[in-house]
Amino acid sequence: YACIGYFVPEYTKFSGELSPSLGIKFSDVPNGLGALSVVPLAGWLQIIAFCGFIENTGFTFKQRKQIGWMKDASMTSEKGEPGNFGLGWIGAFNTIKPIPALRQRKLNAELANGRLAMVAIMGMLFQNGTFGTTGPEMWSIELPEYANTVGDFIPKNLA
């Protein structure tokens, strides 16, 4: 989701105001790392408080669960294991058959995809912090004039 959060603001933003009291609109917030300095401290505290609320209630929003230190809500039952909320594929369907080999393969694929996503967002953050770009120019490469020629790899007009 972090990578998607980097792409989407390049093409669309919420309408309205981010902070009516400070007169900051969503359209005023730059993309990438530049947003850290524009969003007010109260906004960041609201985000942190919401994340803490979800962590504390265990996704139920009804009662506080005694999850324990370094555990999540999936580990509260006797059969609990980290990250398995019993929701199945994409958290919507519980239709995966309990075949151990298939489950292990899917868990390994999920780990690999998560690691790839972490590398991708770190690369985008590094490029944004180093070069200051976040948009399509971040991924497009300007080819030299001789790049699309066949058999002629000597640059022209160098003098």
Side-chain angles (χ1 to χ4, degrees):
Y1 296 120
C3 294
I4 293 172
Y6 235 81
F7 300 145
V8 171
E10 291 296 329
Y11 302 102
T12 184
K13 291 190 180 196
F14 289 121
S15 60
E17 294 186 278
L18 172 69
S19 176
S21 61
L22 297 176
I24 301 173
K25 296 181 179 181
F26 285 106
S27 58
D28 297 336
V29 178
N31 299 332
L33 295 174
L36 294 174
S37 62
V38 175
V39 176
L41 178 63
W44 293 116
L45 293 176
Q46 287 175 357
I47 293 169
I48 292 169
F50 180 72
C51 292
F53 177 73
I54 289 177
E55 287 289 325
N56 202 15
T57 59
F59 294 107
T60 63
F61 297 107
K62 295 177 185 169
Q63 63 183 0
R64 184 173 184 222
K65 289 189 176 184
Q66 294 299 328
I67 299 171
W69 181 252
M70 298 296 289
K71 293 184 178 181
D72 65 15
S74 64
M75 299 172 67
T76 57
S77 67
E78 58 278 346
K79 297 188 325 179
E81 65 177 321
N84 186 1
F85 294 94
L87 300 174
W89 181 66
I90 310 182
F93 312 105
N94 199 4
T95 58
I96 297 176
K97 297 177 179 151
I99 302 169
L102 176 65
R103 186 170 187 278
Q104 187 61 44
R105 181 169 182 245
K106 290 186 181 281
L107 287 174
N108 288 340
E110 183 178 3
L111 280 173
N113 288 338
R115 290 174 181 151
L116 179 63
M118 286 186 272
V119 169
I121 191 63
M122 289 307 297
M124 286 188 272
L125 288 170
F126 179 79
Q127 184 167 357
N128 181 223
T130 305
F131 300 109
T133 58
T134 60
E137 68 273 3
M138 186 169 162
W139 301 286
S140 64
I141 299 169
E142 188 174 321
L143 297 174
E145 65 178 77
Y146 59 88
N148 291 328
T149 61
V150 179
D152 185 11
F153 296 105
I154 301 171
K156 296 177 176 69
N157 303 328
L158 291 178

